[in-house]
Each structure stands twice: as structure tokens, then as C-alpha cells.
Amino acid sequence: MGRHSCCHKQKLRKGLWSPEEDEKLLNHITKFGHGCWSSVPKLAGLQRCGKSCRLRWINYLRPDLKRGAFSPQEESLIIELHAVLGNRWSQIAAHLPGRTDNEIKNLWNSGIKKKLKKNGIDPNTHKPLSKVENSDQQKFHAISESNDVASVASTKPNLSQASSTSSSQSLRVIPSPELSFRRPGIADDGSFITCFQPTDMAGELCFQQLKCSTTMGLSASSDAALHHNWNWSSSDISPKQVHSALKPNKSSDNYYCNIDGDNSSQWSSIFNLQNDHIFENSPISWLLADCGRVDKETEIHPSVCDAEVAKWFEYLHHTPFVFNLSPSEASQMEQTDVTPSAGTCSVTGGSMISNCPHDQILQAPPGSDMYGKTLQAIAVSSGQNSSSSLEPVKHMFQDKKA
DNA sequence: AAGGTCCCCAACCGCGGTTCT
DNA sequence: GAGAACCGCGGTTGGGGACCT
């Protein structure tokens, strides 16, 4: 079948659009709408192909476009969405009103990518750029493939191993401030293998793996959802609880959680509340999604937070990170800010998770396009690429829908 | 001032998916 | 069901402005 590329048509202009062409296209679409794009150039009196007209309208002439530089909030949102969605620019753009996929793609390729690399993050995987020597890399991959900690983002986790002897294997890596950004994986039984957090052991940063069962976690009846009863388990570490959470800066949408365990390490994690959505920077967003509704106002207590996280926070948000707040400092911060209550965070119902892939699946009928694509997105983000490895994920969500 | 290089971003290109005939 | 046309997406290109030497 011969597919006609518009570029092969004769006598059609290419290249930059002139103001006159813009005006013709704008006038035509304003009056008649675009209808069938292939007929637009003829009706509008343009020597362009329909595809070119469509692109010009979408990327430049549309009245609802937001012009100008991206805000730090938009940039951080793009980074967070990219971690979940990858190069699905149109889906990312859907979360940024007034921005086009092309614009976001350009920003990513020309700006954000470099920033991430500069900060030691691989922009493709959102993992720390490893400077590990070859031998260490081989070890890394070997362990990954046998379901060690690194496997969460790159290979299919194996629950039996994770819950037995190897669940807290540590792996020496080049220290990096981004270690708190790990994504959860999904085990065969549908339980979550959570992110790895940096822990300081004898001066070395190590990865450690935790497991959170879907049957555990946040109680729907908890009256202080964000810092109550998030139980984590691994074979050699007793269940942990999030004992406090911190909103380091009132203009920020990010919160940090400290999870105390019996090995005296502090486990910091991060999640983000923005436009009523929680983004998958941490297993906590998955936990919240999994647990359904959280509808009580929640206190966030300032607490000590890890300097690595602070560094990352400052990079992402271009705002100073405040930590080690005393109660009086926290109180002062609360009084000087115009946004609601520094120490509280209002978390409301299902809308909170409406944009979480997990929740999209719960809302989408199995078999629908949304269902399949979202499953794939999750599988890919979890390093589960084969269709067979999707099965446990499917079952998990089907069970939850039921 | 001139030439070279870098980088941004608008636009192109090709592909896959969907709809129409 | 097959072929053609259309649509939308993501990767890539190249024009041109900014910056450097």
C-alpha cells in the first residue's frame, strides 16, 4: 500500500510559517474549526499540507497555549512524570495545561536531561549514573538478575527470594544523593517490592530492599494517614513505621517521611502532592493508591531529614530546604506562610490518587485500551517487559477491582 | 568585526494505530 | 477483510540566534 507522505506532494511550502500563513490558518480554524485536517489547507488558502497545519495549530496558534519559560514546579512535575511515563510526551503534556508535547520534549532534550546528568542521574532510567567499575557492574547485573535490590527497576522481582534470605542484601555503589528515588516493583503475588533507600552503614551507602505486602500498609481507618502504620517488612528487619513526615518548605508540594527501624537507620522517602495527585516518587504513593481512600486531615511533623534528600530537593525546586526544624521554628514558618497550615496536609478521597497509574487501572475496565497501556507503563517502569510478567500485575488489579 | 561553534526550538519525517470505503 | 486515508506520536533535523574566540 502506498502511503502518501505530505512532504511528497508538490508545490507545498515547507519550513517556518509566515505571519500571513498564521493569520490565514487562525482565521479559518476560528471560524470553521479544523474538521478534517487534510482539507484545512485548501479551505484556508494555504500551500501547506494538512499535517503541517495541524502541527502549527497545536504547537503555536492554539489560544489556550501558555507561553514563556517553564516554572520550577512545571520542571519538577515533568521529571516526576517522566519517571513514570518515560518519553510519552503527549501524556506528560496532558498534565501540564497550556504546554505542548513538543515543547516538553524540547525542554527535556535541551535542559532537563543535562541538569539530571549534572546531578548524577541517568535521565532515561532516573537512576544514579553509576561509576562502578566493570567488575562491579557485572556483579551488579548478576545480582539484579537474581533479584537483588537493583532488580526493582530493571528486572522482574522474585518474591520468594525477596522474602527469604536476600531481601536486604547490600550493594556498594558510588554515593549519590538520588538514592531515595527508587521505584517499586511488583512481585509475583502482587505485593510491592518497595524502593531502596540509602542507609549509612560504616560510612558506605548501601542499597537495601524492603517489601511491602498489599495486605499491609495504610489502614483505611487511620485518622492520620500520612504518618500512621505504614508497615514495611523484610526478612531481617522488623516492620518499620513511618513515624513522622516533613513538609520542608511551605511552598513545596513535597513531603519527606522518616521511617524508623530497629537497626537505627533512618529511612527517608519522598512523595509529592500536587494538584491532588500523588506521583510515584516513592512506594508511599503506591501504598496510598493501594489503600484506597484517605480522607482525614493529617498532621505533618517537622523532623530531621537526610541531607542527601535536602540536596535533591533544592535542585528540584530551586528553593532552600529547611530541616532540623524545632517546634518553634515550625510554628514560625506556619505563621508566616499564606498557604494553609505548615503542619497539616489535607488529603482528600479518591481524587488524591486519580492520576496514579495504579488508580487508573482500578478505574479502567480490563481489556480497555487504558487498562492495557497503563499496565504496560507500569510493567515497563518496573522493568517487566514481557507479556507473561504482566500477568501477576493484571491479576492484582483485577482482584482489586473485584 | 568576522568567523566558528553551540544550542534552542519549530518543523519535518516516518511509523503505528484508527477510521473510512 | 483489504486497501486507502487520516491522525497522532515520538525521534530527528536544521535554521538561526547567542555566545565565544
Side-chain angles (χ1 to χ4, degrees):
Chain A
M1 149 176 77
R3 182 188 294 277
H4 289 279
S5 169
C6 57
C7 62
H8 293 142
K9 293 179 181 174
Q10 301 298 312
K11 298 179 184 176
L12 294 181
R13 272 177 56 83
K14 287 172 69 175
L16 295 180
W17 281 63
S18 68
E20 291 74 26
E21 288 178 307
D22 280 344
E23 192 181 348
K24 281 182 181 176
L25 182 60
L26 186 60
N27 285 341
H28 174 77
I29 294 180
T30 304
K31 284 180 187 171
F32 308 109
H34 61 73
C36 173
W37 280 111
S38 58
S39 63
V40 164
K42 190 178 177 183
L43 295 172
L46 290 162
Q47 299 297 310
R48 296 271 182 177
C49 67
K51 205 170 179 177
S52 181
C53 293
R54 176 183 161 271
L55 212 60
R56 185 63 177 170
W57 173 257
I58 288 173
N59 288 336
Y60 192 81
L61 296 175
R62 245 170 53 197
D64 58 330
L65 286 181
K66 188 194 287 182
R67 315 299 300 185
F70 281 77
S71 68
Q73 287 75 24
E74 285 176 310
E75 281 194 27
S76 63
L77 184 54
I78 290 168
I79 293 170
E80 288 156 2
L81 289 166
H82 188 273
V84 180
L85 298 168
N87 292 1
R88 293 178 179 86
W89 305 116
S90 59
Q91 289 183 35
I92 292 173
H95 292 84
L96 289 110
R99 301 297 190 181
T100 69
D101 54 353
N102 207 35
E103 205 176 3
I104 292 167
K105 183 170 60 183
N106 283 334
L107 176 72
W108 181 267
N109 288 326
S110 64
I112 294 178
K113 244 181 174 177
K114 289 174 191 169
K115 282 185 191 174
L116 290 175
K117 282 180 181 171
K118 193 179 170 186
N119 283 273
I121 302 170
D122 183 336
N124 297 317
T125 63
H126 292 256
K127 293 193 283 190
L129 284 168
S130 175
K131 297 176 184 174
V132 181
E133 297 298 326
N134 283 347
S135 58
D136 285 344
Q137 281 183 339
Q138 285 168 6
K139 180 183 174 186
F140 185 94
H141 291 305
I143 295 173
S144 293
E145 284 162 15
S146 65
N147 188 44
D148 187 70
V149 292
S151 66
V152 164
S154 60
T155 65
K156 181 182 175 182
N158 179 314
L159 179 66
S160 61
Q161 287 183 21
S163 60
S164 59
T165 58
S166 64
S167 65
S168 67
Q169 289 179 40
S170 61
L171 180 69
R172 292 182 61 174
V173 295
I174 302 297
S176 161
E178 289 77 34
L179 296 185
S180 55
F181 284 80
R182 303 287 86 199
R183 287 215 292 281
I186 301 169
D188 287 343
D189 69 346
S191 59
F192 294 104
I193 302 295
T194 74
C195 65
F196 331 119
Q197 308 295 348
T199 79
D200 189 30
M201 294 178 173
E204 296 175 356
L205 282 175
C206 301
F207 284 119
Q208 203 147 14
Q209 183 179 33
L210 294 178
K211 171 179 172 281
C212 176
S213 158
T214 53
T215 59
M216 301 172 68
L218 184 62
S219 160
S221 62
S222 168
D223 62 357
L226 291 181
H227 62 113
H228 276 215
N229 302 326
W230 288 345
N231 294 317
W232 306 71
S233 67
S234 69
S235 61
D236 64 341
I237 300 174
S238 64
K240 299 176 180 303
Q241 282 196 325
V242 176
H243 76 109
S244 62
L246 166 66
K247 185 178 185 182
N249 183 305
K250 293 194 66 181
S251 61
S252 158
D253 293 310
N254 279 355
Y255 296 79
Y256 298 88
C257 294
N258 293 328
I259 305 167
D260 265 355
D262 57 3
N263 67 350
S264 77
S265 296
Q266 274 209 326
W267 301 69
S268 301
S269 192
I270 178 172
F271 62 100
N272 175 286
L273 292 174
Q274 208 160 39
N275 300 328
D276 289 333
H277 301 147
I278 287 189
F279 294 102
E280 186 209 8
N281 274 338
S282 77
I284 288 168
S285 61
W286 286 66
L287 272 177
L288 287 173
D290 189 55
C291 295
R293 297 182 60 81
V294 183
D295 51 13
K296 299 287 183 130
E297 202 169 68
T298 304
E299 289 190 1
I300 308 292
H301 297 298
S303 174
V304 177
C305 207
D306 150 13
E308 305 277 11
V309 174
K311 187 177 170 185
W312 173 248
F313 172 84
E314 289 182 352
Y315 158 67
L316 264 185
H317 295 276
H318 309 289
T319 51
F321 185 94
V322 183
F323 61 104
N324 278 334
L325 284 180
S326 67
S328 62
E329 285 170 324
S331 169
Q332 189 179 0
M333 192 168 88
E334 185 168 350
Q335 289 165 8
T336 55
D337 201 292
V338 293
T339 56
S341 176
T344 61
C345 158
S346 192
V347 182
T348 313
S351 65
M352 181 182 71
I353 55 173
S354 63
N355 232 16
C356 167
H358 189 156
D359 191 51
Q360 285 171 355
I361 285 182
L362 298 183
Q363 292 169 2
S368 73
D369 183 55
M370 182 65 193
Y371 183 80
K373 282 186 176 175
T374 309
L375 276 176
Q376 282 182 6
I378 289 179
V380 167
S381 71
S382 306
Q384 302 180 51
N385 292 309
S386 72
S387 57
S388 61
S389 61
L390 279 175
E391 289 309 313
V393 191
K394 286 181 182 174
H395 289 145
M396 176 174 71
F397 290 122
Q398 283 165 351
D399 289 347
K400 292 204 72 66
K401 278 193 80 71

